[in-house]
């Protein structure tokens, strides 16, 4: 989201030197010292996502690496499918890897999905082994079947300094198929400067199915939602929480979002201002087990040109669908709603949303939409979206224009009354150039079409959702919101804990897309206190709201411009492209970005992070 008014940092005067720079108000630092590269962190598996053909993988038959129907990729479109034949069969997949010496840690990770026709709960008839050289690292079987993918992590530090064969072997017995589907294989090495990987986030692989029908104005929606999920953690999962974010816009006695008739669990008490609903599961879910909960859903859109609200006849319905809260090493994340920025920490999920509405209302939405005739005077819009963190839509008598970017992304601009045709055309042009500019830098836009709702009455400036944004008539703001498709949408983060990871990165991406270099970026900088840091959480910014935009947007992007000057343009571009790729549809942390940046240079960045107040 881009707050309005945005306290822009002046873009003139001071140019920060490439080395030995100092921020205004801080003491000058000595030029960074080169550090001995005892360990050069690296990822040594080539084509681990199978998106670049088959090389350098060796496969037992040409169909192991595939994009054929029947299974789906964890990321991209291609995956490795071993077995699934239903008769005596063996598939292999391997490549030679060199694990560098000098690194204290080497970790093999891959995402694995197993489905099977075997009915036993005790016998491992069909097996997949993961090996390094002649050493078997792990064995999985039909007993490990799961819905969706689960990431596996195996320590291979003992093989540092060796060139060895990494191999997956799947074997089936004479009947009843088991499919072992592998994707996004990586082998990362690191030393003491690289933090350990994040703890497991669960419930994983959410899949939401929603059917809603609206009243004549699109202000009230009723129907049913179900959510299927898997416990990715070794700790049994006895409960889940639904985030009913938009109850912030009402009261607990008059909630805009109502959940009733829960199935698949027992509804508990509402908490966090009625924005979190506990649902106890009938029995604890073990790691790899899946469950489905369902409930009746009611949504009442309040008045107001908000991300959840209606501006006259035009309804914005953002953060209205209940989504699963995340549990990680810090426990359940049940942070409060914030109007100042975002609190929305969620995992990439699949949505199928059916919206029955009057034909007079256009309904732009997350994902790719198909309209079919409904009952008399009504239309059914079915929107499907894969690997998105949330789902939003709008409903109203919009004026719609469409186009396609040079790289092939379909763009739709939906304007409220009062937006001129020339402004709408300008926003269409901006959206086309912005989506292509960001895609060229960070990776191809994956969400199909992109819808933008334009309304100059938005008090908040603009707001991002996957494949769907709200914005004013503003080239800079729209370029910013579209940049969020990568930083928050594709590369996820805990927005309450680390808002800079999406806002600072998106503002930096916006500068690049608009050919701004950030020269003079720190003109008139002034830190409010020693406690003020770029990496502070929304809890801090809600208590210091007047400083949020200045520091997180302004100083945050300036810090990234400075990092570019230290690394060089080419190295910085590669860093961000690789960073996006390594966290595609995942979640990143400040520590992980700092480690990736450090791995991209032999210059010790310790003083850089300190000077720029980037902790974590």
């Amino acid at each position: 989201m881009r707050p309005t008014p945005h306290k822009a940092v002046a873009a003139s005067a001071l140019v920060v030197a490439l080395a030995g720079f100092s921020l205004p108000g801080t003491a000058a630092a000595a030029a960074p010292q080169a550090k001995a590269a005892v360990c050069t962190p690296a990822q040594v598996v080539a084509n681990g996502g199978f998106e670049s053909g088959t090389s350098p993988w060796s496969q037992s038959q040409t169909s192991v690496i595939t994009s054929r129907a029947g299974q789906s990729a964890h990321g991209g479109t291609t995956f490795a499918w071993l077995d699934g034949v239903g008769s005596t069969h063996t598939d292999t997949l391997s490549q030679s890897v060199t694990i560098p010496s000098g690194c204290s840690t080497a970790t093999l990770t891959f995402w694995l999905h197993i489905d099977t026709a075997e009915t036993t709960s005790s016998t491992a008839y069909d097996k997949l082994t993961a090996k390094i050289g002649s050493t078997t690292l792990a064995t999985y079987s039909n007993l490990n079947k799961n819905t969706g993918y689960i990431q596996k992590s195996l320590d291979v530090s003992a093989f540092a300094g060796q060139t060895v064969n990494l191999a997956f072997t799947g074997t089936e017995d004479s009947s009843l198929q088991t499919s072992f589907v592998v994707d996004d294989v990586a082998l990362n090495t690191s030393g003491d400067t690289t933090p350990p990987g994040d703890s497991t986030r669960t419930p994983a692989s959410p899949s939401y199915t929603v059917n809603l029908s609206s009243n004549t104005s699109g202000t009230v929606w009723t129907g049913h939602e179900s959510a299927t999920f898997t416990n990715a953690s070794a700790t049994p999962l006895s409960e889940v929480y639904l985030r009913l974010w938009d109850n912030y816009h009402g009261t607990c006695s008059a909630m805009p979002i109502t959940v009733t008739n829960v199935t698949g669990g027992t509804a508990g008490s509402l908490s966090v201002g009625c924005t979190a609903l506990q649902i106890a599961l009938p029995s604890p879910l073990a790691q790899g087990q899946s469950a489905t909960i369902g409930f009746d859903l009611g949504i009442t859109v309040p008045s107001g040109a908000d991300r959840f609200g209606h501006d006259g006849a035009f309804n914005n319905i953002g953060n209205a669908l209940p989504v699963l809260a995340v549990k990680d090493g810090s426990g359940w994340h049940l942070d409060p709603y914030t109007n100042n920025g975002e609190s929305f920490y969620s995992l990439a999920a699949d949505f199928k949303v059916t919206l029955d509405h009057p034909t007079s209302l256009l309904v732009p939405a997350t994902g790719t939409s198909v309209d079919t005739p409904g009952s008399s005077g009504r239309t059914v819009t079915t929107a499907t979206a894969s690997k998105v963190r949330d789902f939003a839509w709008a409903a109203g008598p919009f004026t719609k224009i469409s186009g396609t970017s040079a790289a092939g992304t379909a763009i739709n601009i939906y304007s409220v009354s009062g937006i001129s045709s020339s402004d709408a055309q300008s926003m269409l042009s901006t959206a086309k150039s912005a989506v292509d500019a960001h895609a060229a830098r960070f990776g191809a836009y994956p969400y199909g079409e992109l819808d933008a709702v334009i309304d100059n009455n938005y008090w908040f400036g603009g707001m991002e959702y996957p494949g769907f944004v709200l914005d004013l008539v503003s080239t800079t703001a729209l370029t910013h919101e579209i940049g969020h498709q990568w930083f928050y949408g594709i590369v996820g983060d805990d927005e309450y804990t680390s808002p800079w990871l999406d806002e600072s990165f998106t503002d930096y991406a916006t500068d690049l897309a608009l050919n701004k270099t950030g020269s003079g970026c720190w003109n008139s900088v002034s830190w409010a206190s020693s406690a003020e840091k770029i990496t502070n959480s929304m809890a801090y910014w809600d208590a210091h709201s007047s400083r949020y935009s200045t520091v997180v947007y302004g100083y945050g992007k300036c810090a990234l411009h400075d990092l570019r000057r230290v690394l060089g343009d080419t190295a910085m571009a590669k860093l961000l492209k690789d960073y996006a790729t390594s966290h595609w549809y995942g979640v990143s942390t400040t520590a992980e970005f700092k480690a990736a940046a450090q791995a991209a240079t032999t210059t010790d960045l310790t003083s850089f992070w300190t000077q720029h107040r980037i902790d974590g």
Side-chain angles (χ1 to χ4, degrees), residues 246-527:
D246 283 335
N247 279 342
Y248 168 86
H249 299 276
T251 65
C252 289
S253 59
M255 294 183 291
I257 310 298
T258 58
V259 168
T260 56
N261 299 324
V262 173
T263 59
T266 303
S269 59
L270 285 158
S271 60
V272 199
C274 294
T275 67
L277 175 63
Q278 180 191 46
I279 297 180
L281 301 178
S283 58
L285 280 186
Q287 186 175 35
Q289 289 186 327
S290 301
T292 299
I293 58 173
F295 47 88
D296 291 337
L297 175 64
I299 299 171
T300 302
V301 183
S303 177
D306 209 330
R307 52 193 179 189
F308 178 59
H310 65 86
D311 183 10
F314 301 95
N315 300 274
N316 301 315
I317 308 164
N319 305 112
L321 291 185
V323 294
L324 292 164
V326 178
K327 183 182 183 183
D328 60 21
S330 301
W332 285 105
H333 285 258
L334 302 176
D335 300 307
Y337 185 100
T338 175
N339 251 336
N340 202 22
E342 288 83 41
S343 305
F344 315 128
Y345 176 24
S346 56
L347 303 184
D350 296 336
F351 284 82
K352 182 177 181 181
V353 179
T354 302
L355 303 169
D356 184 326
H357 58 89
T359 302
S360 59
L361 303 180
L362 297 185
V363 180
T366 291
T368 300
S369 296
V370 175
D371 288 344
T372 56
S375 58
S376 178
R378 296 182 70 85
T379 295
V380 176
T381 298
T382 301
T384 56
S386 178
K387 303 296 189 295
V388 297
R389 300 184 191 280
D390 201 353
F391 185 99
W393 72 100
F398 297 101
T399 299
K400 176 186 177 183
I401 60 173
S402 301
T404 304
S405 75
T409 297
I411 310 287
N412 301 305
I413 301 295
Y414 293 83
S415 301
V416 304
S417 55
I419 302 296
S420 68
S421 59
S422 61
D423 280 345
Q425 287 292 341
S426 174
M427 291 300 92
L428 178 60
S429 177
T430 293
K432 289 178 183 179
S433 60
V435 72
D436 285 354
H438 296 317
R441 288 187 173 91
F442 311 120
Y445 177 74
Y447 297 142
E449 65 190 37
L450 173 62
D451 295 340
V453 176
I454 308 300
D455 185 342
N456 279 331
N457 290 331
Y458 294 145
W459 66 266
F460 50 87
M463 180 64 196
E464 70 279 359
Y465 297 98
F468 176 91
V469 300
L470 310 173
D471 223 317
L472 310 168
V473 176
S474 168
T475 296
T476 301
L478 185 56
T479 302
H480 174 96
E481 301 312 332
I482 292 174
H484 273 304
Q485 301 303 307
W486 283 264
F487 297 107
Y488 142 77
I490 297 167
V491 180
D493 65 289
D494 178 346
E495 292 187 308
Y496 192 84
T497 300
S498 303
W500 91 288
L501 285 174
D502 51 278
E503 296 298 357
S504 300
F505 282 64
T506 297
D507 239 23
Y508 175 76
T510 301
D511 272 6
L512 297 183
L514 298 178
N515 298 312
K516 297 179 180 179
T517 65
S519 62
C521 209
W522 292 103
N523 188 48
S524 301
V525 67
S526 176
W527 296 100

Side-chain angles (χ1 to χ4, degrees), residues 114-295:
I114 302 173
D115 68 51
T116 185
E118 301 283 2
T119 58
T120 178
S121 60
S122 59
T123 305
Y125 289 114
D126 309 317
K127 299 178 181 179
L128 176 77
T129 59
K131 298 178 71 173
I132 284 277
S134 60
T135 301
T136 297
L137 301 172
T139 300
Y140 311 96
S141 74
N142 49 279
L143 299 179
N144 303 117
K145 65 183 178 179
N146 58 288
T147 301
Y149 280 90
I150 293 178
Q151 189 177 40
K152 304 298 181 180
S153 181
L154 305 170
D155 184 6
V156 293
S157 304
F159 298 89
Q162 300 181 38
T163 298
V164 288
N165 200 48
L166 166 63
F168 297 93
T169 302
T171 58
E172 281 185 294
D173 71 349
S174 58
S175 65
L176 298 178
Q177 75 87 23
T178 299
S179 294
F180 301 100
V181 190
V182 177
D183 202 358
D184 293 331
V185 184
L187 200 164
N188 287 285
T189 63
S190 62
D192 294 338
T193 59
T194 303
D198 287 336
S199 60
T200 299
R201 298 177 176 91
T202 200
S205 305
S207 178
Y208 300 95
T209 301
V210 184
N211 291 275
L212 297 173
S213 180
S214 83
N215 64 354
T216 56
S217 62
T219 57
V220 176
W221 299 77
T222 56
H224 189 79
E225 177 176 346
S226 64
T228 299
F229 52 89
T230 300
N231 180 22
S233 173
T235 303
L237 191 66
S238 59
E239 62 185 357
V240 295
Y241 286 85
L242 288 175
R243 293 316 308 258
L244 282 54
W245 288 112
D246 283 335
N247 279 342
Y248 168 86
H249 299 276
T251 65
C252 289
S253 59
M255 294 183 291
I257 310 298
T258 58
V259 168
T260 56
N261 299 324
V262 173
T263 59
T266 303
S269 59
L270 285 158
S271 60
V272 199
C274 294
T275 67
L277 175 63
Q278 180 191 46
I279 297 180
L281 301 178
S283 58
L285 280 186
Q287 186 175 35
Q289 289 186 327
S290 301
T292 299
I293 58 173
F295 47 88

Side-chain angles (χ1 to χ4, degrees), residues 1-7 9 307 338-343 460 464 480 484 495-496 498-504 507 528 532-534 536-556:
M1 182 171 75
R2 172 173 285 270
T4 297
H6 178 59
K7 296 181 178 65
V9 180
R307 52 193 179 189
T338 175
N339 251 336
N340 202 22
E342 288 83 41
S343 305
F460 50 87
E464 70 279 359
H480 174 96
H484 273 304
E495 292 187 308
Y496 192 84
S498 303
W500 91 288
L501 285 174
D502 51 278
E503 296 298 357
S504 300
D507 239 23
E532 187 171 82
K533 301 179 187 298
I534 290 173
N536 281 349
S537 73
M538 287 309 306
Y540 178 90
W541 298 120
D542 280 347
H544 304 83
S545 58
S546 66
R547 297 290 295 166
Y548 169 64
S549 178
T550 298
V551 177
V552 174
Y553 290 71
Y555 296 0

